[in-house]
Every structure is written in structure tokens, then in C-alpha cells.
Amino acid sequence: MKDMAGPNAGKFRDPSFTLDGAQRAQITLNNPKTLWFNTGTLCNIECRNCYIESSPANDALVFLTAPEIAGFLDQLDEQRWPVSEIGFTGGEPFVNPEMTDMARLCLERGHDVLILTNAMRPMMRPTVQAGLQGLRAAFGQRLTLRISLDHWSPDRHDEERGKGSFAKTLEGMIWLRDAGIRMTVAGRTVWGEREAETRAGFARLFAAHGFDVDAYDPAATVLFPEMDTSVDVPEITTACWAVLGKDPNSLMCASSRMVVKRRGAARPSVLACTLLAYDRRFELGETLAEAEGPVPLNHPHCAKFCVLGGASCSA
Ligand code: SF4
Ligand code: SF4
């Protein structure tokens, strides 16, 4: 990673110590419960604040394939990770032509599956719809799609994602509702609105359309804070847990890892979490065994998004 500029200059360099010499906090993988696969960074749209800079042109992370997924499912068994949930993220996962096949592999092996999607055109292609209906028929509520709906108001959602995108996502959600496929929602909190207002707005929207999503359950309607590395963020030390009253085991890197395949790489690799796909310091190896080591909290996202913001990518 390049050295930080602005208010964070000099911070987040040394994996062991913070700028003022305190011992940096690190997180041990002590309860692996979710394995994420990044299906590729290509996306049908280009959002203003996409954390992974996806777009119709960004293929920095290329498509994972069903045989690659199968190899990691074997490793899960070999390593005896007690993972119950497999998550798929992108990019837009349904751009990957093998998405429903990859989900089926995981479901057949007994894992629940969570797919993060914008529910737009890639998901609405007839072959994908047929694949999803087949998964619903075979595995019922063990398949969940988490829909990126930034805000309950069309204008705010479209501010992030482009004009007309709210209407397309809503169309996708109506199709999922009618197909009986389990949905949750991921929104954002970038507008300075109080959480209670945001949740009340989502509740009205869900009720109006008969969506079976609880707007007041933080696991069913996940609200993500803005990821902005230009603001001054503190470095997290080993003393922070007691000061903040925060359990280090609640962080995503204590309970999950993400598999990606970089453009030009011969094989996929395993990252500490879903949030830092391009920072090579968070690439832990090519196998799950290599990825079992501790993760130093050496990035502003660790502090702002996870420790202070309370983000989680799990369902
Ligand atoms: S839909 Fe998701 S992956 Fe695609 S650009 Fe928007 S935030 Fe990024
Ligand atoms: S960004 Fe969050 S989940 Fe990722 S390594 Fe940092 S603390 Fe862990």
C-alpha cells in the first residue's frame, strides 16, 4: 500500500506498531463461520462509492469457476473450519456465468449460501432466473440474496448508482418475492440521517411491496457506513478493546476469509476479509491453511469501518 497522505500520513505502515509506538492490534481467526468468494470485479453498473471500484470494465479480479470453488470446499473439510455459510460477492455475482452452479455446489455440500447482488439485469436473465428457481426448489430458505438498496428513497439510491437503478432493483426484488427466494437488504448511511429514520423508511418500502425483510433487524437490513480514507482515523492498538468495550472476535477477519483470483494469476488466493481486495498486505496465501494466521489491523478501514463503524458482511 502507498503511504497515507493527509491526516493519516505516517500511519498504518508497521504491522506491529502504530505511528506513536503502541502495539498494533491483530485479529486471530478463531471461529471461521463464513467463507467468501469474490466472483469477479466486473459489474453491470458503476456506483459512486463502490468499495471495490467495480464497473463494466474493471476485471482486476477475474471470474472464479465452479472447479475452483469445489477445491476450496474440499479444503474447508480438510481444515475442519466450522463454516456454515458461503458468501458470494463481486462485482455483480450474476455477471459470472457460473454463479448459480457455484451456489449449487456449496448448497449440496451442506452450506447455507448468501449472494450479494444489485438484483438488476444480470440476475433477471432467463437462464439465471431458472437457475435461482431450481435452487429455491431444492434448497428453500438456505439460499439468501442480499440486495444492495442504498436507501429507501429512489432519489438517494440513484444518486449513488445512476438514474433509474432503483426502479430496476425494485423490479428484481419483486421477482424474488414472487419466486419465494429469501432476501435481505444492504443500505448505506452516507446521508447523515438518523438510523431510526432510515430503518422506518425501509420498513415503509418493504410493507408497501410485501417484502419479507425486517427493517429493524440489523442482520436483515444491514446499514454500512461510508468508507472514506481521507478523514483522520485512529490506529487500533491492543489497548483499544477495553477502552471501546469492543470484542475483537466480532470483526469479520476473526470469522471469515475471502477467496479472489487476480487477473493474470495462475491460482486464486485468500484474503483476510472482503474489504481490502487490492492491498497485498492482506493477502494471506493460496490455501486456507496458509490463511489461518493473525491479521494486523493495519489499514484505515480496520479502524473506521470495522472497529469504530461496526461493519459486518455476514448475514
Ligand atoms: S453494484 Fe455493487 S459491485 Fe457494482 S459498482 Fe455498485 S457497489 Fe460496486
Ligand atoms: S478491514 Fe476489517 S475485517 Fe478487514 S482486516 Fe481490517 S478489521 Fe479485519
Side-chain angles (χ1 to χ4, degrees):
M1 189 178 83
K2 283 184 285 184
D3 272 353
M4 294 277 150
N8 296 312
K11 295 184 190 173
F12 304 104
R13 269 193 199 144
D14 187 314
S16 302
F17 297 100
T18 63
L19 179 59
D20 51 15
Q23 187 152 28
R24 187 180 302 286
Q26 59 177 28
I27 299 291
T28 306
L29 179 75
N30 67 358
N31 179 26
K33 59 180 188 192
T34 305
L35 183 62
W36 289 91
F37 291 105
N38 188 298
T39 56
T41 38
L42 283 179
C43 188
N44 54 309
I45 56 174
E46 186 167 0
C47 298
R48 203 171 64 174
N49 283 315
C50 178
Y51 84 100
I52 202 163
E53 299 156 24
S54 284
S55 74
N58 181 359
D59 64 350
L61 303 181
V62 297
F63 289 157
L64 284 173
T65 64
E68 286 164 344
I69 301 290
F72 279 96
L73 296 178
D74 290 343
Q75 290 183 45
L76 273 183
D77 294 342
E78 286 156 19
Q79 296 306 116
R80 298 178 185 272
W81 286 15
V83 159
S84 56
E85 176 190 66
I86 302 293
F88 289 94
T89 183
E92 167 50 48
F94 289 109
V95 171
N96 183 317
E98 296 186 51
M99 184 58 251
T100 54
D101 293 339
M102 295 190 291
R104 178 173 286 277
L105 268 181
C106 301
L107 288 157
E108 283 172 348
R109 301 271 291 247
H111 302 291
D112 290 348
V113 166
L114 172 67
I115 305 174
L116 312 192
T117 176
N118 57 36
M120 294 171 81
R121 207 179 132 142
M123 189 199 81
M124 293 293 269
R125 287 174 295 160
T127 49
V128 176
Q129 287 180 328
L132 284 171
Q133 282 166 322
L135 294 178
R136 167 71 179 87
F139 303 103
Q141 301 289 296
R142 289 180 45 218
L143 170 70
T144 302
L145 268 58
R146 192 166 80 194
I147 316 302
S148 301
L149 196 65
D150 288 333
H151 197 263
W152 49 267
S153 83
D155 287 350
R156 285 191 164 165
H157 177 91
D158 286 1
E159 244 174 58
E160 295 288 319
R161 290 172 181 258
K163 201 164 171 42
S165 44
F166 184 93
K168 289 192 183 121
T169 292
L170 201 62
E171 195 186 322
M173 292 178 75
I174 289 167
W175 182 82
L176 289 165
R177 175 199 70 191
D178 293 344
I181 293 169
R182 187 165 180 259
M183 281 188 277
T184 57
V185 162
R188 291 176 191 254
T189 60
V190 294
W191 293 277
E193 187 179 55
R194 285 188 310 117
E195 181 175 335
E197 282 173 49
T198 307
R199 292 195 181 279
F202 274 118
R204 286 192 300 274
L205 179 77
F206 299 160
H209 293 282
F211 297 150
D212 185 15
V213 182
D214 185 347
Y216 296 100
D217 175 356
T221 303
V222 189
L223 298 178
F224 286 109
E226 190 176 13
M227 296 177 79
D228 181 357
T229 55
S230 64
V231 296
D232 189 7
V233 284
E235 296 190 272
I236 304 300
T237 71
T238 50
C240 287
W241 308 118
V243 174
L244 297 169
K246 179 105 184 168
D247 178 1
N249 293 325
S250 66
L251 269 58
M252 199 195 311
C253 46
S255 60
S256 62
R257 291 288 183 259
M258 178 167 80
V259 177
V260 304
K261 190 170 182 191
R262 298 193 192 281
R263 184 182 49 225
R267 282 174 293 280
S269 50
V270 188
L271 311 187
C273 69
T274 62
L275 303 177
L276 300 167
Y278 302 128
D279 188 329
R280 298 283 183 144
R281 299 175 306 169
F282 292 82
E283 184 161 325
L284 306 175
E286 289 187 350
T287 63
L288 297 186
E290 289 167 336
E292 285 181 341
V295 179
L297 300 194
N298 206 12
H299 192 282
H301 287 358
C302 303
K304 177 140 197 301
F305 200 62
C306 296
V307 178
L308 304 172
S312 160
C313 259
S314 193

